[in-house]
Amino acid sequence: MAPRPWTWLKIAVTLTYLFMLVPILVTVAVSFNAGTRSVFPPEGWSLRWWQEALSDEWSSAIFFSLKLSITAAALSTALALPLAFGLVRYDFPGKKALVLLVLGPLLLPTLATGIGLLQVFHWTGLFASMGFGALLIGHIVICVPFSVRTISVSLNGLPPNLEAAAASLGATRWRILIDTILPLIRNGLVAGALFSFIHSFTDVNLSLFLAGPATSPITVKILGFLEFGFAPTLAALSAISLIIPLIGVAIVQRTTRLGDFVYAERQHA
């Protein structure tokens, strides 16, 4: 009997998921290895490498990455709100050029963005004195497009005369924004902040050019440690770097029903 039409698609989807998940599962298993080498299957089970990954040497880099990504997500979302509102609600000369400028970091490799920002900072003579600020500016640049896109999707789903209706009832511009617009686009704001956080926390290409000795995110430290081989400590750090964004996604999904927002917008489109 010939296979059903969807059989091959199901097989392809299953193989794709296995291709993505099996390396992650192997890495997590290696992090619990009792031996001193990164081998699979593990030679035994131990939390030794997790204790090493959570030591001061590595935990400081993890907390630095959290500080950087949370700050970058908050500022990029705050900057993206007026940008998205202007792009969605108004037509003005140069609008297409502004769209390309805002969404450009999505099209360019972060490696090119990092090199460009490094040259700009060195040209202005500010790189040596900026430290955390240089990294933060770079991460905001690559995170703003995510927030602009999600906020724009939410704004496009609102009735175009919503502000006029609120104004006709006596609401000021600020009251319209705070009491009417923001509650209705809350999920878009949260989604943009979440995507920005994940992108910032997992970035390595841009951070590699802008990080300094005292301002190195966990991804840059992991890359530097790889020069000495893939120790089980790196497996534990990789698992931690995966768990932290997953916790963020779970919290956001639990509190804002982000999945409902995504599917609702797809149906609206």
Side-chain angles (χ1 to χ4, degrees), residues 8-20:
W8 293 112
L9 179 60
K10 292 178 180 178
I11 293 174
V13 171
T14 301
L15 291 176
T16 301
Y17 274 106
L18 289 175
F19 179 78
M20 293 187 297

Side-chain angles (χ1 to χ4, degrees), residues 84-109:
F85 198 87
L87 293 174
V88 170
R89 285 289 190 260
Y90 301 101
D91 289 320
F92 50 87
K95 179 178 177 179
K96 292 184 178 179
L98 181 59
V99 171
L100 291 176
L101 179 64
V102 171
L103 301 182
L106 284 178
L107 307 176
L108 291 173

Side-chain angles (χ1 to χ4, degrees), residues 148-159:
V148 169
R149 291 297 296 168
T150 57
I151 295 172
S152 296
V153 169
S154 293
L155 288 172
N156 280 319
L158 298 181

Side-chain angles (χ1 to χ4, degrees), residues 9-10 16 42 66 75 90 103 113 118 121 137 151 171-172 180-181 201 211 223 226-227 235 250 255:
L9 179 60
K10 292 178 180 178
T16 301
L66 283 172
L75 293 179
Y90 301 101
L103 301 182
T113 305
L118 179 64
F121 290 143
I137 291 174
I151 295 172
T172 62
T180 305
I181 302 298
F201 189 81
L223 184 63
L226 277 173
E227 297 179 6
T255 55

Side-chain angles (χ1 to χ4, degrees), residues 42-179:
E43 300 171 346
W45 301 99
S46 172
L47 293 176
R48 168 188 174 184
W49 305 112
W50 282 80
Q51 294 173 347
E52 179 70 22
L54 295 175
S55 64
D56 292 339
E57 177 186 0
W58 293 103
S59 61
S60 59
I62 294 174
F63 284 117
F64 179 83
S65 291
L66 283 172
K67 172 187 173 182
L68 174 64
S69 54
I70 291 173
T71 307
L75 293 179
S76 61
T77 304
L79 291 173
L81 178 59
L83 274 172
F85 198 87
L87 293 174
V88 170
R89 285 289 190 260
Y90 301 101
D91 289 320
F92 50 87
K95 179 178 177 179
K96 292 184 178 179
L98 181 59
V99 171
L100 291 176
L101 179 64
V102 171
L103 301 182
L106 284 178
L107 307 176
L108 291 173
T110 52
L111 190 66
T113 305
I115 294 174
L117 287 173
L118 179 64
Q119 291 178 335
V120 170
F121 290 143
H122 274 298
W123 178 70
T124 56
L126 297 175
F127 183 75
S129 60
M130 292 185 70
F132 176 78
L135 265 175
L136 181 60
I137 291 174
H139 280 239
I140 290 174
V141 168
I142 63 174
C143 290
V144 163
F146 291 95
S147 294
V148 169
R149 291 297 296 168
T150 57
I151 295 172
S152 296
V153 169
S154 293
L155 288 172
N156 280 319
L158 298 181
N161 57 352
L162 182 65
E163 294 97 317
S168 67
L169 297 174
T172 62
R173 288 181 179 270
W174 282 109
R175 300 314 306 177
I176 293 173
L177 176 65
I178 296 173
D179 295 336

Side-chain angles (χ1 to χ4, degrees), residues 143 146-147 150 190-200 258 261-262:
C143 290
F146 291 95
S147 294
T150 57
V190 173
L194 176 63
F195 293 149
S196 297
F197 169 80
I198 294 174
H199 190 53
S200 174
L258 183 60
F261 158 75
V262 173

